[in-house]
Amino acid sequence: MELTDGRLSLAVLSACAALVLGAGGAWWVAADPERGAAPTPTLAPVVVPEEEVAPEPPQEDLESYLPVFPNTVTRHVGRIESQDTFVMHVPTQKDGEYRLQYVCLGPGELSVRIKRTTEGEMLYDADCGGNLSTFQFRAAGADAVIEVYRPDSLAADIGIQVIDVE
């Protein structure tokens, strides 16, 4: 029976040890209520202010609106003031076919007059909306005259070119 008593006492001793370990672990958890739930303090992110730069006004380059062709006879890009007229003399060949292309940036309109054509004097009221527009004409002689008048109260930027079609 000695062997049985030894096994019994070993079993009681193991049970008591497990009970003590379990009670100690429970006490340990109960003694530390903040365990694992505490948030870690964070610092606010550092923000470096950006240097203020005034935005540049959009560049509306008339040269980019008015395409260049190898058969361009004459070309003008510039500003036309209110109530002003710009006159362009264009060398042409009699009965030659030509295109007048223009672009205008600004509010309002332009008056475009083409003189010395086979159709006589051609007059157009043209929009200054920034679109490329074309007028076709046939020359009556050795030169044509293009007159561009700005009837509005504000200046505008214009680009004008004459292209030989033939």
Side-chain angles (χ1 to χ4, degrees):
M1 218 175 211
E2 244 178 74
L3 188 59
T4 323
D5 285 337
R7 285 186 191 167
L8 183 60
S9 57
L10 183 60
V12 170
L13 183 63
S14 294
C16 286
L19 184 63
V20 169
L21 281 175
W27 173 83
W28 183 266
V29 170
D32 189 16
E34 301 279 328
R35 188 184 102 136
T40 56
T42 58
L43 297 176
V46 177
V47 178
V48 178
E50 291 184 20
E51 185 177 322
E52 288 189 31
V53 177
E56 291 184 23
Q59 297 294 319
E60 295 181 344
D61 183 15
L62 282 174
E63 293 287 338
S64 66
Y65 280 86
L66 199 61
V68 178
F69 296 98
N71 52 341
T72 299
V73 177
T74 188
R75 178 182 177 94
H76 171 78
V77 176
R79 188 155 188 85
I80 187 167
E81 297 299 323
S82 169
Q83 307 297 316
D84 200 7
T85 301
F86 173 76
V87 179
M88 180 186 301
H89 293 273
V90 182
T92 58
Q93 293 184 11
K94 183 175 168 110
D95 292 324
E97 195 172 333
Y98 297 89
R99 279 194 192 112
L100 167 68
Q101 289 187 327
Y102 84 93
V103 65
C104 179
L105 298 176
E109 294 181 345
L110 287 177
S111 291
V112 179
R113 183 182 315 260
I114 307 171
K115 295 181 176 179
R116 301 183 186 155
T117 71
T118 56
E119 293 87 13
E121 193 171 283
M122 303 167 74
L123 180 62
Y124 300 97
D125 287 325
D127 180 37
C128 277
N131 295 321
L132 179 66
S133 297
T134 303
F135 304 124
Q136 194 113 355
F137 69 93
R138 189 172 292 280
D143 70 332
V145 177
I146 311 291
E147 292 179 355
V148 179
Y149 173 68
R150 177 69 173 163
D152 288 316
S153 60
L154 298 172
D157 294 320
I158 60 169
I160 303 167
Q161 68 185 3
V162 176
I163 301 165
D164 186 351
V165 175
E166 297 178 346

Coordinates of all heavy atoms in Angstrom, one line a residue, residues 27-122:
W27 N -4.8 36.5 -9.2 CA -4.5 37.6 -8.4 C -3.6 38.6 -9.3 O -3.8 39.8 -9.2 CB -3.7 37.2 -7.2 CG -3.2 38.4 -6.4 CD1 -3.8 39.1 -5.5 CD2 -1.8 38.9 -6.5 NE1 -3.0 40.1 -5.1 CE2 -1.8 40.0 -5.7 CE3 -0.7 38.6 -7.3 CZ2 -0.6 40.8 -5.5 CZ3 0.4 39.4 -7.1 CH2 0.4 40.5 -6.2
W28 N -2.7 38.1 -10.0 CA -1.8 38.9 -10.8 C -2.6 39.8 -11.9 O -2.4 41.0 -12.0 CB -0.8 38.0 -11.6 CG 0.2 38.8 -12.4 CD1 0.1 39.1 -13.7 CD2 1.4 39.4 -11.9 NE1 1.2 39.9 -14.1 CE2 2.1 40.0 -13.0 CE3 2.0 39.4 -10.6 CZ2 3.3 40.7 -12.9 CZ3 3.3 40.1 -10.6 CH2 3.9 40.7 -11.7
V29 N -3.6 39.2 -12.5 CA -4.4 39.8 -13.5 C -5.3 40.9 -12.8 O -5.5 42.0 -13.3 CB -5.3 38.8 -14.3 CG1 -6.3 39.5 -15.2 CG2 -4.3 38.0 -15.2
A30 N -5.9 40.5 -11.6 CA -6.8 41.4 -10.9 C -6.0 42.6 -10.4 O -6.6 43.7 -10.3 CB -7.5 40.6 -9.8
A31 N -4.8 42.4 -10.0 CA -4.0 43.5 -9.5 C -3.6 44.6 -10.5 O -3.2 45.7 -10.2 CB -2.7 43.0 -8.8
D32 N -3.6 44.2 -11.8 CA -3.2 45.1 -12.9 C -4.4 45.4 -13.9 O -4.4 44.8 -14.9 CB -2.0 44.5 -13.6 CG -1.4 45.5 -14.6 OD1 -1.7 46.7 -14.6 OD2 -0.7 45.1 -15.5
P33 N -5.4 46.3 -13.5 CA -6.6 46.4 -14.3 C -6.3 47.2 -15.7 O -7.1 47.1 -16.6 CB -7.5 47.3 -13.5 CG -6.6 48.0 -12.5 CD -5.4 47.1 -12.3
E34 N -5.2 47.9 -15.8 CA -4.9 48.7 -17.0 C -4.1 47.9 -18.0 O -3.7 48.4 -19.0 CB -4.1 49.9 -16.6 CG -4.8 50.8 -15.6 CD -5.8 51.7 -16.3 OE1 -5.5 52.1 -17.5 OE2 -6.8 52.1 -15.7
R35 N -3.9 46.6 -17.7 CA -3.0 45.8 -18.5 C -3.6 45.7 -20.0 O -4.7 45.2 -20.2 CB -2.9 44.4 -17.9 CG -1.9 43.6 -18.5 CD -2.0 42.2 -17.9 NE -2.7 41.5 -18.8 CZ -2.4 40.2 -19.2 NH1 -1.6 39.6 -18.7 NH2 -3.1 39.6 -20.2
G36 N -2.8 46.1 -20.9 CA -3.1 45.9 -22.4 C -4.1 46.9 -22.9 O -4.2 47.0 -24.1
A37 N -4.8 47.6 -22.1 CA -5.9 48.4 -22.6 C -5.5 49.9 -22.6 O -6.2 50.7 -23.1 CB -7.1 48.3 -21.7
A38 N -4.3 50.2 -22.1 CA -3.9 51.6 -22.1 C -3.4 52.1 -23.5 O -2.6 51.4 -24.1 CB -2.8 51.8 -21.1
P39 N -4.0 53.2 -24.0 CA -3.6 53.7 -25.3 C -2.2 54.3 -25.1 O -1.8 54.9 -24.1 CB -4.6 54.8 -25.6 CG -5.2 55.2 -24.3 CD -5.1 54.0 -23.4
T40 N -1.4 54.2 -26.1 CA -0.1 54.8 -26.1 C -0.2 56.3 -26.5 O -1.0 56.6 -27.4 CB 0.9 54.1 -27.1 OG1 0.3 54.1 -28.4 CG2 1.1 52.7 -26.7
P41 N 0.4 57.2 -25.8 CA 0.3 58.6 -26.2 C 0.9 58.9 -27.5 O 2.0 58.3 -27.9 CB 1.1 59.3 -25.0 CG 2.0 58.3 -24.5 CD 1.3 56.9 -24.7
T42 N 0.2 59.7 -28.3 CA 0.8 60.0 -29.7 C 1.0 61.5 -29.7 O 0.3 62.3 -29.1 CB -0.2 59.6 -30.8 OG1 -1.4 60.3 -30.6 CG2 -0.5 58.1 -30.8
L43 N 2.0 61.9 -30.5 CA 2.3 63.3 -30.7 C 1.6 63.7 -32.0 O 1.4 63.0 -32.9 CB 3.8 63.5 -30.9 CG 4.7 63.1 -29.7 CD1 6.1 63.2 -30.0 CD2 4.3 64.0 -28.5
A44 N 1.1 65.0 -32.0 CA 0.5 65.5 -33.1 C 1.5 65.6 -34.3 O 2.7 65.9 -34.0 CB -0.1 66.9 -32.8
P45 N 1.1 65.3 -35.5 CA 2.1 65.4 -36.6 C 2.5 66.8 -36.8 O 1.8 67.8 -36.6 CB 1.3 64.9 -37.8 CG -0.1 65.1 -37.5 CD -0.2 65.0 -36.0
V46 N 3.8 67.0 -37.1 CA 4.4 68.3 -37.4 C 4.0 68.7 -38.8 O 4.3 68.0 -39.7 CB 5.9 68.3 -37.2 CG1 6.5 69.6 -37.5 CG2 6.2 67.9 -35.7
V47 N 3.4 69.8 -39.0 CA 3.1 70.3 -40.3 C 3.9 71.6 -40.6 O 3.8 72.6 -39.8 CB 1.5 70.7 -40.4 CG1 1.2 71.2 -41.7 CG2 0.7 69.4 -40.1
V48 N 4.6 71.6 -41.6 CA 5.4 72.7 -42.0 C 4.6 73.5 -43.0 O 4.1 73.0 -44.0 CB 6.7 72.2 -42.7 CG1 7.6 73.4 -43.2 CG2 7.5 71.3 -41.8
P49 N 4.4 74.8 -42.7 CA 3.6 75.6 -43.6 C 4.3 75.8 -44.9 O 5.5 75.9 -45.0 CB 3.4 77.0 -42.9 CG 4.5 77.0 -41.9 CD 4.9 75.5 -41.6
E50 N 3.4 75.7 -46.0 CA 4.0 75.9 -47.3 C 4.2 77.3 -47.6 O 3.4 78.2 -47.1 CB 3.0 75.3 -48.4 CG 2.9 73.8 -48.3 CD 2.0 73.3 -49.4 OE1 1.8 74.0 -50.4 OE2 1.6 72.1 -49.3
E51 N 5.2 77.6 -48.4 CA 5.5 79.0 -48.8 C 4.4 79.4 -49.7 O 4.1 78.7 -50.7 CB 6.8 79.0 -49.4 CG 7.3 80.4 -49.8 CD 8.7 80.5 -50.4 OE1 9.5 79.7 -49.9 OE2 8.9 81.2 -51.3
E52 N 3.8 80.6 -49.5 CA 2.7 81.0 -50.3 C 3.3 81.6 -51.6 O 4.1 82.5 -51.5 CB 1.8 82.0 -49.6 CG 1.0 81.4 -48.6 CD 0.0 82.4 -48.0 OE1 -0.5 83.3 -48.7 OE2 -0.4 82.3 -46.8
V53 N 2.8 81.2 -52.7 CA 3.2 81.7 -54.0 C 1.9 82.1 -54.8 O 1.0 81.3 -54.9 CB 3.9 80.6 -54.8 CG1 4.3 81.1 -56.2 CG2 5.2 80.1 -54.1
A54 N 1.9 83.3 -55.3 CA 0.8 83.8 -56.0 C 0.7 83.0 -57.3 O 1.7 82.8 -58.0 CB 0.9 85.3 -56.3
P55 N -0.5 82.5 -57.7 CA -0.7 81.8 -58.9 C -0.4 82.7 -60.1 O -0.8 83.9 -60.1 CB -2.1 81.3 -58.9 CG -2.8 82.2 -58.0 CD -1.8 82.7 -57.0
E56 N 0.2 82.1 -61.1 CA 0.5 82.9 -62.3 C -0.8 83.0 -63.2 O -1.5 82.0 -63.2 CB 1.6 82.3 -63.1 CG 2.9 82.4 -62.5 CD 4.0 81.8 -63.3 OE1 3.8 81.8 -64.6 OE2 5.1 81.4 -62.8
P57 N -1.1 84.1 -63.8 CA -2.2 84.1 -64.7 C -2.0 83.2 -65.9 O -0.8 82.9 -66.3 CB -2.3 85.6 -65.2 CG -0.9 86.1 -65.0 CD -0.3 85.3 -63.8
P58 N -3.1 82.5 -66.4 CA -2.9 81.6 -67.5 C -2.3 82.3 -68.7 O -2.7 83.4 -69.0 CB -4.3 81.1 -67.8 CG -5.2 82.1 -67.2 CD -4.4 82.7 -66.0
Q59 N -1.3 81.7 -69.3 CA -0.7 82.3 -70.5 C -1.5 81.8 -71.7 O -1.6 80.6 -72.0 CB 0.7 81.8 -70.6 CG 1.6 82.3 -69.5 CD 1.8 83.8 -69.5 OE1 1.9 84.4 -70.5 NE2 1.7 84.4 -68.3
E60 N -2.1 82.7 -72.4 CA -2.8 82.4 -73.7 C -1.9 82.9 -74.8 O -2.0 84.0 -75.2 CB -4.2 83.1 -73.6 CG -5.1 82.6 -72.6 CD -6.4 83.2 -72.6 OE1 -6.6 84.2 -73.2 OE2 -7.3 82.6 -71.9
D61 N -1.1 82.0 -75.3 CA -0.2 82.3 -76.4 C -0.8 82.2 -77.7 O -1.2 81.1 -78.1 CB 1.0 81.3 -76.2 CG 2.1 81.6 -77.2 OD1 2.1 82.7 -77.8 OD2 3.0 80.7 -77.4
L62 N -1.0 83.3 -78.4 CA -1.6 83.3 -79.7 C -0.9 82.5 -80.7 O -1.4 81.9 -81.6 CB -1.8 84.8 -80.2 CG -2.9 85.5 -79.6 CD1 -2.9 87.0 -80.1 CD2 -4.3 84.9 -80.0
E63 N 0.5 82.5 -80.6 CA 1.3 81.7 -81.5 C 0.8 80.2 -81.5 O 0.8 79.6 -82.5 CB 2.8 81.8 -81.1 CG 3.4 83.1 -81.3 CD 3.6 83.5 -82.8 OE1 3.6 82.6 -83.6 OE2 3.6 84.7 -83.0
S64 N 0.4 79.7 -80.3 CA 0.0 78.3 -80.3 C -1.4 78.1 -80.8 O -1.8 77.0 -81.3 CB 0.0 77.8 -78.8 OG -0.9 78.5 -78.0
Y65 N -2.2 79.2 -80.9 CA -3.6 79.1 -81.5 C -3.5 79.1 -83.0 O -4.4 78.6 -83.6 CB -4.4 80.3 -81.0 CG -5.0 80.2 -79.6 CD1 -4.3 80.5 -78.5 CD2 -6.3 79.7 -79.4 CE1 -4.8 80.4 -77.2 CE2 -6.8 79.6 -78.2 CZ -6.1 80.0 -77.1 OH -6.6 79.9 -75.8
L66 N -2.5 79.8 -83.5 CA -2.5 80.0 -85.0 C -1.4 79.1 -85.6 O -0.2 79.4 -85.5 CB -2.1 81.5 -85.2 CG -2.4 82.1 -86.5 CD1 -3.9 82.0 -86.9 CD2 -2.0 83.6 -86.5
P67 N -1.8 78.0 -86.2 CA -0.7 77.1 -86.7 C 0.0 77.7 -87.9 O -0.5 78.5 -88.7 CB -1.6 75.9 -87.2 CG -2.9 76.4 -87.5 CD -3.1 77.6 -86.5
V68 N 1.3 77.3 -88.0 CA 2.2 77.9 -89.0 C 2.2 76.9 -90.2 O 2.3 75.6 -90.0 CB 3.6 78.1 -88.5 CG1 4.5 78.6 -89.6 CG2 3.6 79.1 -87.4
F69 N 2.0 77.4 -91.4 CA 2.0 76.5 -92.6 C 3.2 77.0 -93.5 O 3.5 78.1 -93.5 CB 0.7 76.6 -93.4 CG -0.5 76.1 -92.6 CD1 -1.3 77.0 -91.9 CD2 -0.8 74.8 -92.5 CE1 -2.4 76.5 -91.2 CE2 -1.8 74.3 -91.8 CZ -2.7 75.2 -91.2
P70 N 3.7 76.0 -94.3 CA 4.9 76.4 -95.1 C 4.4 77.4 -96.2 O 5.3 78.2 -96.7 CB 5.3 75.1 -95.8 CG 4.3 74.1 -95.5 CD 3.5 74.6 -94.4
N71 N 3.2 77.4 -96.6 CA 2.7 78.3 -97.6 C 2.0 79.6 -97.1 O 1.2 80.2 -97.7 CB 1.7 77.6 -98.6 CG 0.6 76.9 -97.8 OD1 0.7 76.6 -96.7 ND2 -0.4 76.6 -98.6
T72 N 2.5 80.0 -95.8 CA 2.0 81.2 -95.3 C 2.6 82.4 -95.9 O 3.8 82.5 -96.1 CB 2.3 81.3 -93.7 OG1 1.6 80.1 -93.1 CG2 1.8 82.5 -93.1
V73 N 1.8 83.3 -96.4 CA 2.3 84.5 -97.2 C 2.7 85.6 -96.2 O 3.7 86.2 -96.3 CB 1.2 85.0 -98.1 CG1 1.6 86.3 -98.8 CG2 0.8 84.0 -99.1
T74 N 1.8 85.9 -95.2 CA 2.1 86.9 -94.2 C 1.4 86.5 -92.9 O 0.4 85.8 -92.9 CB 1.7 88.3 -94.7 OG1 2.1 89.3 -93.7 CG2 0.2 88.4 -94.8
R75 N 1.9 87.1 -91.8 CA 1.4 86.7 -90.5 C 1.6 87.8 -89.5 O 2.7 88.5 -89.5 CB 2.2 85.4 -90.0 CG 1.8 84.9 -88.7 CD 2.8 83.7 -88.4 NE 2.6 83.2 -87.1 CZ 1.7 82.2 -86.8 NH1 1.1 81.6 -87.7 NH2 1.6 81.8 -85.5
H76 N 0.7 88.1 -88.6 CA 0.8 89.1 -87.6 C 0.1 88.6 -86.3 O -1.0 88.2 -86.4 CB 0.1 90.4 -88.1 CG 0.1 91.4 -87.0 ND1 1.2 92.2 -86.6 CD2 -0.9 91.8 -86.1 CE1 0.8 93.0 -85.6 NE2 -0.5 92.8 -85.3
V77 N 0.9 88.8 -85.2 CA 0.3 88.5 -83.9 C 0.6 89.7 -83.0 O 1.7 90.1 -82.9 CB 1.0 87.2 -83.3 CG1 0.5 86.9 -81.9 CG2 0.7 86.0 -84.2
G78 N -0.5 90.2 -82.4 CA -0.3 91.3 -81.5 C -1.6 91.8 -80.8 O -2.5 91.0 -80.8
R79 N -1.5 93.0 -80.3 CA -2.7 93.5 -79.6 C -3.3 94.6 -80.4 O -2.6 95.4 -81.0 CB -2.2 94.1 -78.2 CG -3.3 94.5 -77.3 CD -2.7 94.4 -75.9 NE -3.7 94.7 -74.9 CZ -4.5 93.7 -74.4 NH1 -4.4 92.5 -74.8 NH2 -5.4 94.0 -73.5
I80 N -4.6 94.6 -80.4 CA -5.4 95.7 -81.1 C -6.2 96.4 -80.0 O -6.9 95.8 -79.2 CB -6.2 95.2 -82.2 CG1 -6.9 96.3 -83.0 CG2 -7.3 94.2 -81.7 CD1 -7.5 95.9 -84.3
E81 N -6.0 97.7 -80.0 CA -6.7 98.6 -79.0 C -8.1 98.8 -79.4 O -8.5 98.7 -80.5 CB -5.9 99.9 -78.8 CG -4.5 99.7 -78.2 CD -4.5 99.1 -76.9 OE1 -5.3 99.3 -76.0 OE2 -3.5 98.3 -76.6
S82 N -8.9 99.3 -78.4 CA -10.3 99.6 -78.7 C -10.4 100.7 -79.7 O -9.6 101.7 -79.7 CB -10.9 100.1 -77.3 OG -12.2 100.7 -77.6
Q83 N -11.4 100.6 -80.6 CA -11.6 101.6 -81.7 C -10.4 101.7 -82.6 O -10.3 102.8 -83.3 CB -12.0 102.9 -81.1 CG -13.2 102.9 -80.1 CD -14.5 102.4 -80.7 OE1 -14.9 102.8 -81.8 NE2 -15.1 101.4 -80.0
D84 N -9.5 100.8 -82.7 CA -8.3 100.8 -83.5 C -8.5 99.9 -84.8 O -9.3 99.0 -84.7 CB -7.1 100.4 -82.7 CG -5.8 100.9 -83.3 OD1 -5.8 101.7 -84.3 OD2 -4.7 100.5 -82.8
T85 N -7.8 100.3 -85.8 CA -7.8 99.5 -87.1 C -6.3 99.0 -87.4 O -5.4 99.8 -87.3 CB -8.3 100.3 -88.3 OG1 -9.7 100.7 -87.9 CG2 -8.3 99.5 -89.5
F86 N -6.2 97.7 -87.7 CA -4.9 97.2 -88.1 C -5.0 96.9 -89.6 O -6.0 96.3 -90.0 CB -4.5 95.9 -87.3 CG -3.3 95.3 -87.8 CD1 -2.1 95.8 -87.6 CD2 -3.4 94.1 -88.6 CE1 -0.9 95.1 -88.1 CE2 -2.3 93.5 -89.1 CZ -1.1 94.0 -88.8
V87 N -4.0 97.3 -90.4 CA -4.1 97.1 -91.9 C -2.9 96.3 -92.3 O -1.8 96.5 -91.9 CB -4.0 98.5 -92.6 CG1 -4.1 98.3 -94.1 CG2 -5.2 99.4 -92.2
M88 N -3.2 95.3 -93.1 CA -2.1 94.4 -93.6 C -2.2 94.3 -95.1 O -3.2 94.0 -95.7 CB -2.4 93.0 -93.0 CG -1.4 91.9 -93.4 SD -1.8 90.2 -92.8 CE -1.9 90.4 -91.1
H89 N -1.1 94.6 -95.8 CA -1.0 94.5 -97.2 C -0.4 93.2 -97.5 O 0.7 92.8 -97.0 CB -0.1 95.7 -97.8 CG -0.8 97.0 -97.6 ND1 -1.7 97.5 -98.5 CD2 -0.7 97.9 -96.6 CE1 -2.1 98.7 -98.1 NE2 -1.5 99.0 -97.0
V90 N -1.1 92.4 -98.4 CA -0.7 91.0 -98.7 C -0.3 90.9 -100.1 O -1.1 91.2 -101.0 CB -1.8 90.0 -98.3 CG1 -1.4 88.6 -98.6 CG2 -2.3 90.2 -96.9
P91 N 0.9 90.5 -100.4 CA 1.3 90.2 -101.8 C 0.5 89.0 -102.3 O 0.6 87.9 -101.7 CB 2.8 90.0 -101.8 CG 3.1 89.6 -100.4 CD 2.1 90.2 -99.5
T92 N -0.2 89.1 -103.5 CA -0.9 88.0 -104.0 C -0.7 87.9 -105.5 O -0.1 88.8 -106.1 CB -2.5 88.2 -103.8 OG1 -2.8 89.5 -104.4 CG2 -2.8 88.2 -102.3
Q93 N -1.2 86.8 -106.1 CA -1.2 86.7 -107.6 C -2.7 86.8 -108.0 O -3.6 86.3 -107.4 CB -0.6 85.3 -107.9 CG 0.8 85.1 -107.6 CD 1.3 83.8 -108.1 OE1 0.7 83.1 -108.8 NE2 2.6 83.5 -107.7
K94 N -2.8 87.4 -109.2 CA -4.2 87.6 -109.7 C -4.9 86.2 -109.9 O -4.3 85.3 -110.4 CB -4.1 88.3 -111.1 CG -5.5 88.6 -111.7 CD -5.4 89.4 -112.9 CE -6.7 89.4 -113.6 NZ -7.5 90.4 -113.7
D95 N -6.1 86.1 -109.4 CA -6.9 84.9 -109.4 C -6.4 83.8 -108.5 O -6.8 82.7 -108.5 CB -7.1 84.4 -110.8 CG -8.0 85.3 -111.6 OD1 -8.9 85.9 -111.0 OD2 -7.7 85.5 -112.8
G96 N -5.4 84.1 -107.6 CA -4.9 83.2 -106.7 C -5.9 83.0 -105.5 O -6.5 83.9 -105.1
E97 N -5.9 81.7 -105.1 CA -6.9 81.4 -104.0 C -6.1 81.5 -102.6 O -5.0 80.9 -102.5 CB -7.5 80.0 -104.2 CG -8.7 79.8 -103.3 CD -9.4 78.5 -103.7 OE1 -9.2 78.0 -104.8 OE2 -10.0 77.9 -102.8
Y98 N -6.7 82.2 -101.6 CA -6.1 82.4 -100.4 C -7.0 82.1 -99.2 O -8.2 82.2 -99.4 CB -5.5 83.8 -100.3 CG -4.5 84.1 -101.3 CD1 -4.8 84.6 -102.6 CD2 -3.1 83.9 -101.0 CE1 -3.9 84.8 -103.5 CE2 -2.2 84.1 -102.0 CZ -2.5 84.6 -103.2 OH -1.6 84.8 -104.2
R99 N -6.5 81.9 -98.1 CA -7.3 81.7 -96.8 C -6.7 82.8 -95.8 O -5.5 82.8 -95.6 CB -7.1 80.3 -96.2 CG -7.9 79.3 -96.8 CD -8.0 78.1 -96.0 NE -8.5 77.0 -96.8 CZ -7.9 76.0 -97.2 NH1 -6.6 75.8 -96.9 NH2 -8.5 75.1 -98.0
L100 N -7.7 83.5 -95.3 CA -7.3 84.4 -94.1 C -7.7 83.6 -92.9 O -8.9 83.3 -92.7 CB -8.1 85.7 -94.2 CG -8.1 86.6 -93.0 CD1 -6.7 87.1 -92.8 CD2 -9.1 87.7 -93.1
Q101 N -6.8 83.4 -92.0 CA -7.1 82.7 -90.7 C -6.9 83.8 -89.6 O -5.9 84.6 -89.7 CB -6.2 81.5 -90.4 CG -6.4 80.4 -91.3 CD -5.6 79.2 -90.9 OE1 -4.5 79.3 -90.4 NE2 -6.2 78.0 -91.1
Y102 N -7.7 83.8 -88.6 CA -7.6 84.7 -87.5 C -8.0 84.0 -86.2 O -8.8 83.0 -86.2 CB -8.4 86.0 -87.7 CG -9.8 85.8 -87.2 CD1 -10.2 86.2 -86.0 CD2 -10.8 85.2 -88.1 CE1 -11.5 86.0 -85.5 CE2 -12.1 85.1 -87.6 CZ -12.4 85.4 -86.4 OH -13.7 85.3 -85.9
V103 N -7.4 84.5 -85.1 CA -7.8 84.1 -83.8 C -7.8 85.4 -83.0 O -7.0 86.3 -83.2 CB -6.9 83.0 -83.2 CG1 -5.5 83.5 -83.0 CG2 -7.5 82.5 -81.9
C104 N -8.8 85.6 -82.1 CA -8.9 86.8 -81.3 C -9.2 86.3 -79.8 O -10.1 85.5 -79.6 CB -10.0 87.6 -81.8 SG -10.3 89.2 -80.9
L105 N -8.5 86.9 -78.9 CA -8.7 86.6 -77.5 C -9.1 87.9 -76.8 O -8.4 88.9 -76.7 CB -7.4 86.1 -76.8 CG -6.9 84.8 -77.4 CD1 -5.5 84.5 -76.7 CD2 -7.8 83.7 -77.2
G106 N -10.3 87.8 -76.2 CA -10.9 89.0 -75.6 C -12.4 89.0 -75.7 O -12.9 88.2 -76.6
P107 N -13.1 89.8 -75.0 CA -14.6 89.8 -75.2 C -14.9 90.6 -76.4 O -14.2 91.4 -76.9 CB -15.0 90.6 -73.9 CG -13.9 91.4 -73.6 CD -12.6 90.7 -74.0
G108 N -16.1 90.3 -77.0 CA -16.6 91.1 -78.1 C -16.3 90.6 -79.5 O -16.2 89.4 -79.7
E109 N -16.2 91.5 -80.4 CA -16.0 91.2 -81.8 C -14.9 91.9 -82.5 O -14.4 92.9 -81.9 CB -17.3 91.5 -82.5 CG -18.5 90.6 -82.1 CD -19.7 91.0 -82.9 OE1 -19.8 92.0 -83.6 OE2 -20.7 90.1 -82.9
L110 N -14.6 91.5 -83.7 CA -13.8 92.2 -84.6 C -14.5 92.4 -85.9 O -15.4 91.6 -86.3 CB -12.5 91.4 -85.0 CG -11.4 91.2 -84.0 CD1 -10.4 90.3 -84.6 CD2 -10.8 92.5 -83.6
S111 N -14.2 93.5 -86.7 CA -14.7 93.6 -88.0 C -13.5 93.3 -88.9 O -12.5 93.9 -88.8 CB -15.3 95.0 -88.3 OG -16.4 95.2 -87.5
V112 N -13.7 92.4 -89.8 CA -12.6 92.0 -90.8 C -13.1 92.4 -92.2 O -14.1 91.9 -92.6 CB -12.3 90.5 -90.6 CG1 -11.2 90.1 -91.6 CG2 -11.9 90.1 -89.2
R113 N -12.3 93.2 -92.9 CA -12.6 93.6 -94.2 C -11.4 93.1 -95.1 O -10.3 93.4 -94.8 CB -12.7 95.1 -94.3 CG -13.1 95.6 -95.7 CD -13.2 97.1 -95.7 NE -13.9 97.7 -94.5 CZ -15.1 98.1 -94.5 NH1 -15.8 98.0 -95.6 NH2 -15.7 98.6 -93.5
I114 N -11.8 92.4 -96.2 CA -10.8 92.0 -97.2 C -11.1 92.8 -98.5 O -12.2 92.7 -99.1 CB -10.9 90.5 -97.5 CG1 -10.8 89.7 -96.1 CG2 -9.7 90.0 -98.4 CD1 -11.1 88.2 -96.3
K115 N -10.1 93.5 -98.9 CA -10.2 94.4 -100.1 C -9.4 93.8 -101.3 O -8.4 93.1 -101.1 CB -9.8 95.8 -99.9 CG -10.6 96.5 -98.8 CD -10.0 97.9 -98.7 CE -10.9 98.8 -97.8 NZ -10.3 100.1 -97.6
R116 N -9.8 94.1 -102.5 CA -9.2 93.7 -103.7 C -9.3 92.2 -104.0 O -8.3 91.5 -104.3 CB -7.7 94.2 -103.8 CG -7.6 95.7 -103.6 CD -6.2 96.1 -103.7 NE -6.1 97.6 -103.5 CZ -5.0 98.2 -103.0 NH1 -3.9 97.5 -102.8 NH2 -5.0 99.4 -102.8
T117 N -10.5 91.7 -103.8 CA -10.8 90.3 -104.1 C -11.6 90.2 -105.4 O -12.2 91.2 -105.8 CB -11.5 89.6 -103.0 OG1 -12.9 90.1 -102.9 CG2 -10.8 89.8 -101.7
T118 N -11.7 89.1 -106.0 CA -12.6 88.9 -107.2 C -14.0 89.1 -106.9 O -14.9 89.4 -107.7 CB -12.4 87.6 -107.9 OG1 -12.6 86.5 -106.9 CG2 -11.0 87.4 -108.4
E119 N -14.4 88.9 -105.6 CA -15.8 89.1 -105.2 C -16.1 90.6 -104.8 O -17.1 90.9 -104.3 CB -16.1 88.2 -103.9 CG -16.1 86.7 -104.3 CD -14.7 86.1 -104.2 OE1 -13.8 86.7 -103.6 OE2 -14.5 85.0 -104.7
G120 N -15.0 91.4 -104.8 CA -15.2 92.8 -104.4 C -14.7 92.9 -102.9 O -13.8 92.1 -102.5
E121 N -15.2 93.8 -102.2 CA -14.9 94.0 -100.8 C -15.7 93.0 -100.0 O -16.9 93.0 -100.1 CB -15.2 95.4 -100.4 CG -14.6 95.8 -99.1 CD -14.7 97.3 -98.9 OE1 -14.0 98.1 -99.5 OE2 -15.6 97.7 -98.1
M122 N -15.0 92.3 -99.1 CA -15.7 91.3 -98.2 C -15.6 91.8 -96.8 O -14.5 92.1 -96.3 CB -15.0 89.9 -98.4 CG -15.0 89.4 -99.8 SD -13.9 88.0 -100.0 CE -14.8 86.7 -99.3

